Amino acid sequence: MQTLSRTRSHKLSTRKRRWRWVNRLLLMSALTCTTLALLGIIFLFATRSGEELREWAAGTLLTTQHDYWAPYTFLPEEKLNALKEQIRNPEVINSEPDGPIKPEESPQEQPIADTLPEKPKELIEVEEIDVSKGNYYFKGKIMYINDPKRVRLVVTNRKDRGDLLDEFVKKTNAIGIVNASGFHDPDGYGKGAKAYGVVIHDGKILQGYNPKNGETALGITYDGKLITGSYTAEQLVKMGVRDAMSFRPQLIVNGKNLFKDKPAKSWGIQPRTAIGQKADGTIVFVVIDGRQPGHSIGASMNDLAELLEERGIVTAMAMDGGSSSMMLYKGEAITKTSCPYYRGRYLPNAWAVI
């Protein structure tokens, strides 16, 4: 009997020791979490770096469908309102004069020099983007289209939803393609059937109104010139624009970087798409991946404008970003969408190389 009693006592003692270790572990975990939470609060609300981080977070949220979360970054009201103002009313410059465009004077004939013929350029060239900013990093692709007349806006003809980029490719045999217009997207479940803003396709005005304030037009003329600014659809058609759509903000106009020396935080860090043109006429498509830790966090509008300026882009504007941002080349995705569906989102239109 004594042996049995001792065995029971030993078991009870062992159980008690185990529970003591469990309780100690739970207590240490709680103290560690509490300490880390207090340090995090001190960092976010008592340091300049913490305040900047909250500004980045607010700017990012304000450019998504979850903008109602921005006040929970607890920024001072004046700073939050300033971020909202920068997003709602970005600087807009017309790339062409408001009056009639004067025809360019024909250059005087010069004696023809004997030169070796230049090697013909490929229609499309692709550059890999891999940038580290210290606190964040991003990857993406730049597509250079050496014949600007081959760039067209393709539009969905469906009524129930938009098209995926690969569906646009099958319909048009596009060699390269990126997303273009924004669209009504409640809680990220929009089906992309109807674009926001002006839409001109093959010289015909499909939408001449602008239901979303602050949108800016971007069009390409029959001659392959990219035009951007605060124009109506009718004005664009008179200027010889073949295809056009609307979004914002402008990044570079007439060689001027509109985001130079401006705070980057207002637009946050997101996946990005942009269209631009170099002085020699080359059109560029840019897509930056984002929202994917370990691959690419995303870029600010400042990053995008700087990236394009460094490559000689003289006119450029942002397209719809976020989970819509995606680029295909020869039918294959060469960027990594942040959309849960690997084929991307349904879209009302896209810029394509036909």
Side-chain angles (χ1 to χ4, degrees), residues 141-340:
K141 296 286 193 301
I142 298 182
M143 182 179 288
Y144 298 89
I145 302 99
N146 291 308
D147 184 354
K149 295 180 184 178
R150 299 282 295 271
V151 178
R152 306 289 181 91
L153 187 75
V154 293
V155 299
T156 186
N157 55 9
R158 301 179 63 107
K159 301 298 181 185
D160 57 330
R161 65 167 175 84
D163 282 311
L164 299 168
L165 282 184
D166 58 14
E167 291 176 326
F168 279 126
V169 170
K170 288 177 183 176
K171 290 178 179 179
T172 64
N173 293 318
I175 306 168
I177 192 167
V178 294
N179 62 293
S181 293
F183 52 91
H184 184 55
D185 188 25
D187 297 322
Y189 293 100
K191 291 190 176 181
K194 191 174 183 62
Y196 276 136
V198 169
V199 179
I200 299 173
H201 178 245
D202 201 18
K204 296 178 181 178
I205 299 173
L206 303 186
Q207 287 182 199
Y209 58 92
N210 200 338
K212 192 172 183 183
N213 294 331
E215 305 277 329
T216 307
L218 179 135
I220 297 178
T221 68
Y222 286 93
D223 294 331
K225 183 173 184 180
L226 191 146
I227 292 173
T228 177
S230 183
Y231 301 110
T232 65
E234 291 75 16
Q235 285 174 318
L236 290 168
V237 169
K238 286 179 182 178
M239 296 166 74
V241 167
R242 182 190 60 221
D243 297 298
M245 44 68 69
S246 300
F247 206 68
R248 58 176 171 169
Q250 292 174 305
L251 300 168
I252 302 172
V253 181
N254 298 329
K256 179 184 177 183
N257 181 346
L258 302 187
F259 278 83
K260 193 163 189 148
D261 302 323
K262 286 189 178 178
K265 307 174 193 69
S266 58
W267 293 85
I269 297 175
Q270 298 281 8
R272 305 288 185 195
T273 301
I275 307 293
Q277 187 169 43
K278 297 174 73 173
D280 65 3
T282 302
I283 296 282
V284 297
F285 295 167
V286 186
V287 170
I288 301 297
D289 296 338
R291 301 176 183 170
Q292 300 170 73
H295 169 60
S296 178
I297 299 299
S300 69
M301 288 297 180
N302 298 53
D303 295 327
L304 200 54
E306 183 181 320
L307 195 74
L308 292 167
E309 184 181 33
E310 288 172 351
R311 285 155 180 79
I313 309 304
V314 294
T315 302
M317 193 175 89
M319 303 290 101
D320 190 16
S323 55
S324 296
S325 289
M326 194 175 182
M327 179 186 290
L328 271 62
Y329 179 47
K330 295 182 178 179
E332 299 292 330
I334 59 173
T335 59
K336 191 175 178 182
T337 176
S338 62
C339 176

Side-chain angles (χ1 to χ4, degrees), residues 51-63 70-71 73-90 248 259 262-268:
E51 185 176 1
E52 286 185 354
L53 184 61
R54 287 187 291 126
E55 287 182 56
W56 276 113
T60 301
L61 288 167
L62 287 170
T63 55
T73 57
F74 299 104
L75 281 179
E77 189 175 354
E78 63 274 10
K79 284 198 173 184
L80 193 60
N81 289 335
L83 292 176
K84 290 178 181 178
E85 180 64 21
Q86 290 169 37
I87 295 169
R88 290 171 183 166
N89 299 295
R248 58 176 171 169
F259 278 83
K262 286 189 178 178
K265 307 174 193 69
S266 58
W267 293 85

